[in-house]
Structures are given as C-alpha cells and as structure tokens.
Amino acid sequence: MNINWAHVHLMINHFPVLGVPGAILLLSYGLLRKSDEIKTLSFGVIVLVALLTIPVYLTGGEAAKAVKDLPGVTEAFVGRHEELAGLALVLIEVLGVMALAGLFLLRRSGSIPRWLVLLVLAASLVTAAVTGFTANLGGEIRHTEIRGKG
C-alpha cells in the first residue's frame, strides 16, 4: 500500500467535516433535553475536533504538492480550496477555544452559561457551512463529476 500526504489528508479531513455537524447535533440534543452532561460532551467533542483539524490543515500543503502534476488538477482548484481552508481552520480553532472556555467555566462555577452554549451553537453552524464548502472545493480538485460547469 502506497500512502502519501494526499492520502493522509484525505483520510483525516473527515474529522472537521463530520465532527462539527456531529457536535451541533449533540449540542442541540443537549439543549432540547436540558442536559448539562450532553452539552458538556458536545463541548469536549468540539475541542477534540479543533485539535484534530490542525494536522488536517498541515497536511494540505504536502497533499497539494502530491497532486499538482496530475491530469485535471489546476492551481485554480487547489488555490480556492487552500484559501477557504485557512478560514475554516481559524473558525474551528476559535470555536475550540470557545468550547474550552466553556469547559473551564463549568469546572469553576459548575455550569456553562446559556449565552455561551447558544453562541457556540451559532458559531458551530457557521463553521460547519464553511467547513462543508471547503471540503467540496477540495473534492473538486480531483473529482470532475462534482465540478460545476464553467
């Protein structure tokens, strides 16, 4: 089996793409059930996803080098993906810091403030949208069947 950076990048990029929506579902369920335990779990998932997103971003440059000379790969497709990946990384890391702050507040005061839970939920929705769009742009690099016309 031949594993290169492009392969590693493709395997681990699912952490943010699936992790953020998963955390949204958990957090929403925790809010509906009024369960502090589930909200706490969702904050932990967000922190974990933020940490796992760092190697996703760091392997991107090497993945780009691995595919740059393949047929159908253009700098335009790679560049659009790279630009949005930077924004997605920042959003996920900020989200992770917010969730970590919530966990520290929980440890200190015994609960995560409702305003922070709602803020994390809103930020998660934005982050999931940007992460999903980033993943789609990444898919367009090699998957001509998902590229738009033009």
Side-chain angles (χ1 to χ4, degrees):
M1 180 173 6
N2 182 19
I3 295 179
N4 60 28
W5 287 114
H7 192 185
V8 172
H9 184 71
L10 289 171
M11 288 188 303
I12 65 176
N13 74 23
H14 293 84
F15 292 129
V17 173
L18 298 175
V20 175
I24 290 169
L25 291 174
L26 268 175
L27 189 53
S28 299
Y29 184 68
L31 282 166
L32 286 172
R33 297 289 307 224
K34 296 182 169 81
S35 169
D36 291 337
E37 292 83 12
I38 295 172
K39 289 184 269 187
T40 301
L41 175 63
S42 69
F43 272 49
V45 167
I46 290 169
V47 170
L48 180 62
V49 169
L51 292 172
L52 292 172
T53 299
I54 295 168
V56 173
Y57 183 80
L58 293 176
T59 58
E62 290 299 319
K65 289 178 191 173
V67 300
K68 70 178 179 168
D69 294 326
L70 295 176
V73 174
T74 67
E75 182 58 39
F77 285 114
V78 174
R80 287 176 42 208
H81 176 63
E82 284 178 348
E83 284 180 26
L84 204 54
L87 174 61
L89 175 70
V90 169
L91 290 175
I92 290 174
E93 297 312 311
V94 167
L95 186 61
V97 169
M98 291 167 54
L100 189 60
L103 294 174
F104 279 123
L105 288 172
L106 172 69
R107 186 171 170 93
R108 196 177 81 184
S109 67
S111 67
I112 302 170
R114 183 165 173 78
W115 65 265
L116 183 56
V117 172
L118 295 175
L119 181 62
V120 166
L121 180 59
S124 295
L125 291 169
V126 172
T127 301
V130 171
T131 303
F133 190 55
T134 302
N136 187 66
L137 290 176
E140 288 181 0
I141 293 171
R142 289 283 293 145
H143 293 282
T144 56
E145 72 276 11
I146 66 171
R147 292 180 186 171
K149 298 194 191 286

